[in-house]
Amino acid sequence: MADPSTSNPHQAGDGSPASDHPTEPTRHSEHHARQIAGIHNVEVGYDGRAILPPISVCMHAGELWALVGRNGAGKSTFMRTLLGLQDRMGGQIQLDEGVRVAYVAQRSEFEGRVPARVWDFVAGGLDVGWSFAVPWLSGSQRRKIAQAMADVRVEDLASRQMSTLSYGQRQRVHIARALATEPLLLVLDEPTSAMDPIAERAMFELLRNLARNRGISIMLSSHQMSFLPEHADHALLIDRDLAIATGGRLRDVFGSAAFRRVYGDIHVGAPTDDDCAS
Amino acid sequence: MATSMSVRPRMMIVQADQPTLSAFFDAWPLFADAVWAAVWMGGTLGLLGIYVIARRLVFLSAALSQAASLGVATSFFVAGTLGVSGALAAPTLWSLLATGLVVLFFARPDRKHTSTDDETLGIIYLIGIAGTLALGTRIVADLADIQTLLFGTAVAVVPDDLAAIQWTCAGVVAVHLVLWRGFSAVSLDPIGATVRQLPTHLLNLLLLASLALVVSVCTRILGALPAFAFSVLPALVALQWSRNIAQGLWIAAGVGAVCGFVGYLAAFLWALPVGASQALVGVVLLMLSVLGRTVGTRVGLGGR
């Protein structure tokens, strides 16, 4: 199948190309990374009405995708559609065989109502399909939980109550819970929204490493333009008001006319020496 | 059907001069079935109560117990006033029908959590209690039977009722022992469970149906007040002390059973209505738990 993230022109909703520069092959297409999800002309919306132009992107193993757009742009609607939580208006979402999807919400409904140790919380995300019908955990399931906790470095917190953790620690535990199912596609809704810059950087580095080391494809929505160019390699920009839906390599999307229409002259990326000098 | 209620004593019969513990156990054969019924119901509804609290379904539990009351009152009405007899006038059938309709409404697949849930539950609650009282005036038996139904003032339980309670509770507990992980998932993380392709609608339906079933049987035999109290208070106590949901389920079941037994005993010792006594025992345990947790936290012993 053609890789829309590299071979398609990625038309913005207004018909302009996503990138002002010729699209270059990505690292993953060079290395023939496994395709995780193919999103083909997917229309998202509700009440039978699409709110965005058709979206076409192809996500591969090891890629970190940034879903960007202003508040109310349609990011949550797209994520819900990608996760199968709401019907799409058209198009196709093709997951490669055996691909599991996991989701980390911005806020958990879980916390606060029922006590849970970190280990219990991670174990609670383990079941897929009907696996819950066995009321106890097998040895391999326990190893998956331990591995997920090790991957996000929360093993030392295993016996702590969730309610005693800092926000950054809780977010890491949420990611461990999502990883317990060994997903190949991980979707996160603004995972760093309430973090200080140091914790935020650590979180992006963690996600970058997870994508590489676990060979999973990650899509996260974020407004943190200063960290995204450093850590994400692909981006999907959407804006319902401007009828924009364009995806591809991050530098192409961030350098596109569509991006400038949405964000104007907003500074993107960490400051450089030149920035300081000027 | 009304007669089956009217023969049930509503006040604790104290045969000894002084209602003492020894007098209670001396008369154990008289009370045993009712005590065991309360223990089974308290334990099972205590376990289910963890989900009631976790899902913020306290109002649903209240509405279910009142809907069950209305169902039972309706069965008396159709039997006594309309002359219907046999299975069609069975109180359990009507209480299950009433609670089943409520469950189907709240477990329907297209349902979204909305702010109107509280209003809907309030309306169901009011229809239940007002309808029960209104029908009570049209039932051949006296209104005190309706008070028995609403407030759980029944003292004795016939062996058939105890058997019904045991089978119902054993079945529900068995289902929950097997499926507790699924029920936890859809209760605590419904979006995550949907993404992970758990059969969320089926699990929700099963969970609410099991709650409706136990509440229906408990309301019919013990009354609406203890049914509601058992489904809320033991879980609140358990959540003060448990480290996780699995522990919470067991502790809540134990506390519910204690409420059932001690509530009955207290009713005997102080000549209280049984349902009210069981609810008050739950309240006292909750207050002691909160106090214990608060003091424990202050002196550094409150960590789970």
Side-chain angles (χ1 to χ4, degrees):
Chain A
M1 189 184 70
D3 181 352
S5 73
T6 56
S7 60
N8 280 1
H10 286 307
Q11 295 295 308
D14 58 359
S16 62
S19 171
D20 296 344
H21 309 288
T23 307
E24 298 171 17
T26 65
R27 175 175 56 84
H28 298 291
S29 59
E30 285 166 357
H31 295 151
H32 305 290
R34 177 185 179 186
Q35 178 184 300
I36 302 295
I39 299 168
H40 308 291
N41 294 312
V42 167
E43 294 181 90
V44 303
Y46 34 79
D47 298 331
R49 190 172 58 87
I51 63 169
L52 289 168
I55 298 169
S56 292
V57 291
C58 213
M59 302 173 71
H60 294 87
E63 290 178 350
L64 181 56
W65 282 74
L67 175 62
V68 294
R70 298 177 295 184
N71 288 332
K75 297 192 297 294
S76 296
T77 307
F78 172 73
M79 286 178 110
R80 288 182 59 82
T81 308
L82 178 61
L83 292 166
L85 296 171
Q86 71 178 66
D87 294 335
R88 56 184 180 272
M89 304 290 107
Q92 273 192 319
I93 298 175
Q94 288 181 330
L95 298 179
D96 196 22
E97 189 177 346
V99 168
R100 288 190 189 132
V101 184
Y103 174 57
V104 178
Q106 192 175 354
R107 287 184 186 82
S108 168
E109 296 182 51
F110 190 136
E111 290 171 48
R113 279 186 280 166
V114 172
R117 295 171 300 186
V118 167
W119 198 92
D120 302 313
F121 189 82
V122 175
L126 187 70
D127 286 315
V128 178
W130 282 83
S131 67
F132 62 85
V134 178
W136 53 82
L137 295 176
S138 66
S140 68
Q141 286 176 316
R142 288 177 183 277
R143 282 191 291 277
K144 284 180 186 178
I145 295 167
Q147 185 61 54
M149 291 175 66
D151 283 358
V152 299
R153 300 189 300 276
V154 294
E155 3 16 344
D156 294 344
L157 306 174
S159 59
R160 290 263 303 271
Q161 281 288 316
M162 285 294 289
S163 57
T164 66
L165 304 183
S166 70
Y167 181 80
Q169 288 173 326
R170 279 208 299 273
Q171 278 298 79
R172 294 219 307 275
V173 174
H174 278 276
I175 293 170
R177 178 181 165 95
L179 292 176
T181 60
E182 298 187 329
L184 285 172
L185 176 58
L186 177 60
V187 181
L188 304 98
D189 188 4
E190 297 190 30
T192 65
S193 61
M195 289 182 183
D196 61 61
I198 295 170
E200 201 166 25
R201 175 179 293 278
M203 177 59 70
F204 276 109
E205 284 172 357
L206 172 68
L207 293 171
R208 175 71 270 172
N209 290 334
L210 283 175
R212 284 181 180 149
N213 298 339
R214 279 194 169 236
I216 63 179
S217 186
I218 296 177
M219 175 170 280
L220 61 91
S221 64
S222 179
H223 293 291
Q224 306 304 322
M225 297 303 178
S226 55
F227 287 111
L228 289 176
E230 190 181 341
H231 297 286
D233 41 44
H234 288 74
L236 175 59
L237 168 69
I238 58 178
D239 193 299
R240 62 186 295 185
D241 293 335
L242 299 175
I244 289 172
T246 179
R249 291 182 56 154
L250 182 132
R251 67 177 181 185
D252 295 336
V253 173
F254 277 34
S256 68
F259 188 87
R260 285 192 294 276
R261 284 187 64 202
V262 174
Y263 288 106
D265 292 330
I266 190 172
H267 181 84
V268 173
T272 63
D273 291 344
D274 290 343
D275 294 328
C276 294
S278 63
Chain B
M1 280 297 155
T3 52
S4 69
M5 288 290 293
S6 59
V7 297
R8 183 170 298 154
R10 290 186 297 275
M11 295 299 293
M12 197 55 90
I13 302 164
V14 181
Q15 294 178 327
D17 292 336
Q18 288 265 320
T20 60
L21 270 179
S22 60
F24 178 78
F25 288 108
D26 287 344
W28 178 251
L30 181 66
F31 302 133
D33 284 356
V35 171
W36 280 119
V39 168
W40 274 99
M41 279 295 165
T44 308
L45 279 172
L47 183 148
L48 294 174
I50 290 289
Y51 299 112
V52 169
I53 300 300
R55 299 174 67 132
R56 298 193 174 100
L57 292 177
V58 171
F59 285 158
L60 176 62
S61 181
L64 280 176
S65 60
Q66 294 307 328
S69 296
L70 179 58
V72 177
T74 304
S75 76
F76 296 159
F77 178 74
V78 300
T81 307
L82 303 181
V84 177
S85 61
L88 283 178
T92 304
L93 173 74
W94 284 89
S95 64
L96 279 174
L97 187 65
T99 54
L101 287 174
V102 177
V103 163
L104 284 178
F105 178 80
F106 282 96
R108 67 188 191 278
D110 64 334
R111 176 178 169 267
K112 294 182 176 68
H113 292 276
T114 65
S115 59
T116 59
D117 282 359
D118 282 355
E119 288 92 323
T120 307
L121 289 170
I123 291 167
I124 293 169
Y125 179 90
L126 289 170
I127 291 172
I129 195 164
T132 304
L133 288 169
L135 275 179
T137 64
R138 299 288 183 272
I139 295 173
V140 176
D142 63 60
L143 193 62
D145 285 336
I146 293 305
Q147 288 185 343
T148 300
L149 183 61
L150 288 176
F151 303 121
T153 53
V155 172
V157 169
V158 298
D160 284 351
D161 284 349
L162 177 61
I165 283 176
Q166 287 171 326
W167 281 108
T168 302
C169 291
V172 166
V173 169
V175 168
H176 278 260
L177 280 177
V178 175
L179 301 181
W180 73 274
R181 278 167 54 187
F183 290 142
S184 301
V186 297
S187 297
L188 302 171
D189 182 19
I191 294 176
T194 306
V195 171
R196 289 183 275 122
Q197 299 186 324
L198 271 66
T200 51
H201 296 317
L202 179 65
L203 285 166
N204 274 324
L205 184 63
L206 208 52
L207 177 57
L208 294 182
S210 63
L211 178 64
L213 176 63
V214 181
V215 166
S216 296
V217 174
C218 186
T219 300
R220 209 266 292 168
I221 296 171
L222 300 182
L225 176 60
F228 178 50
F230 286 151
S231 64
V232 174
L233 296 169
L236 288 173
V237 174
L239 291 176
Q240 297 285 324
W241 299 106
S242 51
R243 289 181 173 183
N244 54 30
I245 193 166
Q247 255 185 18
L249 291 167
W250 287 113
I251 294 175
V255 172
V258 167
C259 288
F261 176 79
V262 177
Y264 199 93
L265 180 61
F268 174 84
L269 293 175
W270 293 295
L272 298 169
V274 176
S277 177
Q278 288 163 335
L280 286 172
V281 168
V283 170
V284 169
L285 288 177
L286 178 59
M287 290 170 69
L288 289 174
S289 291
V290 172
L291 187 66
R293 285 280 302 164
T294 306
V295 172
T297 303
R298 294 203 174 186
V299 299
L301 299 172
R304 289 189 174 102

